[in-house]
Amino acid sequence: MIKLRAKEFLGKTAEQFSFEGYDISLVKYTKPVSEDWHSHEKYHLCLVLQGGNLESRKKEDIQATSGSIMLYDKYEIHRNRHTAFPSENLNIEINDDFFVKNELSTSSFQTSILKNLEVQFQLLKIYKELRVNDVCSSDAIHVSLLNLLSNHKTTPHSIPIWVTTIKELLCDRWDEFITLDELSRELNIHPVTISKHFSKYFNCTLGEYMRRIKIEKAIVLLKHSTKTLTEIAFLCGFSDQSHFSKIFKLNTGFKPNEFRKL
């Protein structure tokens, strides 16, 4: 049996991202690989982005296809056969200390995730953030992962005061990048609390919300000023015009210069 260490996969790792407490790998399969039984040393989530295979576990065979979500406990033994080429997987490996730090339980790792109706949506949001890959992405991914693992579905009877406070703070400092930890200090609220509840009140992640505010400001400048795209990108806190154009199109469906001509 093959024992794979952290960040090791049978396919070819195309991209890899390391965050505090977890690693994300995009792994591609373009040719046959070992079909031996193997295991991974960390808790492990996999979203099949393309292709798939027939996966064997101790008690069952599972046909994985595009969109399938595969979950593995530490050192869970499995093997993959009849892989479709090309295949691509999004893999998230989680350290033990991530669960401890964020007050999450490992005892029902697979069950809690499968009960979460937004599991595929959250994984796709993580994949999207990897493609955006800006200063907001790490916090946005962190929030999505916590939402995915916490399975927190209860709805409070009233909106907490911190929700209004956080709106005011983010709107006042719209041209800055404010981290989750900084918000936690400003509000005197545990970052896990913000992460768990943010999307319920704002219908998006923290990173997405900050980008939306910047885009709203950019729309005003595009329509009511003669500033260049480079100037607007700088004023709205984007790293450069290319990044501004990319985020603007993701949020509006238009490139900035196209929107200006409407």
Side-chain angles (χ1 to χ4, degrees):
M1 188 193 74
I2 303 171
K3 292 184 178 180
L4 296 174
R5 298 176 64 83
K7 298 188 280 188
E8 284 186 355
F9 299 93
L10 297 176
K12 182 179 180 180
T13 300
E15 294 181 75
Q16 207 155 60
F17 307 83
S18 292
F19 300 93
E20 186 177 351
Y22 57 97
D23 300 290
I24 303 179
S25 303
L26 293 173
V27 182
K28 295 186 177 183
Y29 299 81
T30 57
K31 59 184 180 181
V33 297
S34 172
E35 295 186 349
D36 290 342
W37 292 94
H38 63 279
S39 66
H40 301 268
E41 70 174 7
K42 295 184 179 181
Y43 292 96
H44 174 201
L45 298 86
C46 171
L47 171 64
V48 181
L49 298 169
Q50 181 183 13
N53 55 49
L54 178 65
E55 178 167 296
S56 295
R57 306 271 180 115
K58 282 186 175 181
K59 297 182 179 179
E60 63 179 338
D61 287 342
I62 304 170
Q63 183 63 58
T65 58
S66 180
S68 294
I69 297 162
M70 313 300 290
L71 307 170
Y72 310 89
D73 286 325
K74 289 170 59 175
Y75 302 112
E76 182 171 0
I77 300 171
H78 59 283
R79 68 171 179 165
N80 309 107
R81 296 175 290 146
H82 309 300
T83 301
F85 303 115
S87 286
E88 182 177 9
N89 296 342
L90 170 74
N91 297 285
I92 304 177
E93 298 173 286
I94 308 171
N95 300 339
D96 287 343
D97 59 4
F98 182 85
F99 290 93
V100 175
K101 181 178 179 180
N102 294 290
E103 303 172 3
L104 301 168
S105 172
T106 60
S107 60
S108 57
F109 170 68
Q110 296 193 29
T111 304
S112 63
I113 292 176
L114 290 174
K115 285 182 179 179
N116 190 327
L117 298 178
E118 294 188 350
V119 57
Q120 188 176 61
F121 174 66
Q122 296 293 352
L123 287 172
L124 287 172
K125 287 174 74 174
I126 288 172
Y127 179 67
K128 175 186 172 183
E129 287 296 339
L130 295 176
R131 302 272 63 84
V132 173
N133 195 22
D134 66 6
V135 291
C136 299
S137 292
S138 60
D139 277 337
I141 290 172
H142 185 83
V143 169
S144 287
L145 190 56
L146 285 176
N147 284 335
L148 196 158
L149 293 170
S150 65
N151 194 29
H152 188 90
K153 296 299 177 184
T154 57
T155 302
H157 297 295
S158 59
I159 298 175
I161 295 176
W162 66 262
V163 174
T164 301
T165 305
I166 206 171
K167 281 183 178 180
E168 294 173 351
L169 179 63
L170 293 175
C171 285
D172 288 344
R173 298 172 58 183
W174 66 271
D175 57 343
E176 300 177 37
F177 168 64
I178 307 174
T179 66
L180 182 62
D181 286 340
E182 186 176 353
L183 279 178
S184 174
R185 291 193 298 271
E186 290 277 353
L187 300 171
N188 197 26
I189 296 175
H190 197 288
V192 172
T193 301
I194 299 175
S195 298
K196 282 183 177 180
H197 299 285
F198 191 93
S199 62
K200 287 191 292 186
Y201 300 115
F202 292 85
N203 296 314
C204 61
T205 67
L206 173 60
E208 289 170 333
Y209 188 77
M210 287 193 287
R211 290 192 202 103
R212 288 178 187 178
I213 295 174
K214 295 177 188 297
I215 293 300
E216 288 173 1
K217 301 296 183 180
I219 285 173
V220 174
L221 291 172
L222 284 168
K223 285 297 188 182
H224 303 287
S225 80
T226 57
K227 296 183 182 297
T228 67
L229 298 187
T230 299
E231 289 173 324
I232 292 174
F234 176 75
L235 288 171
C236 293
F238 292 96
S239 56
D240 53 43
Q241 182 183 325
S242 175
H243 179 232
F244 165 54
S245 296
K246 181 179 181 180
I247 300 302
F248 192 92
K249 186 171 183 180
L250 279 173
N251 281 270
T252 68
F254 296 95
K255 294 180 180 178
N257 56 348
E258 294 173 337
F259 184 85
R260 181 167 249 173
K261 294 175 183 177
L262 292 177

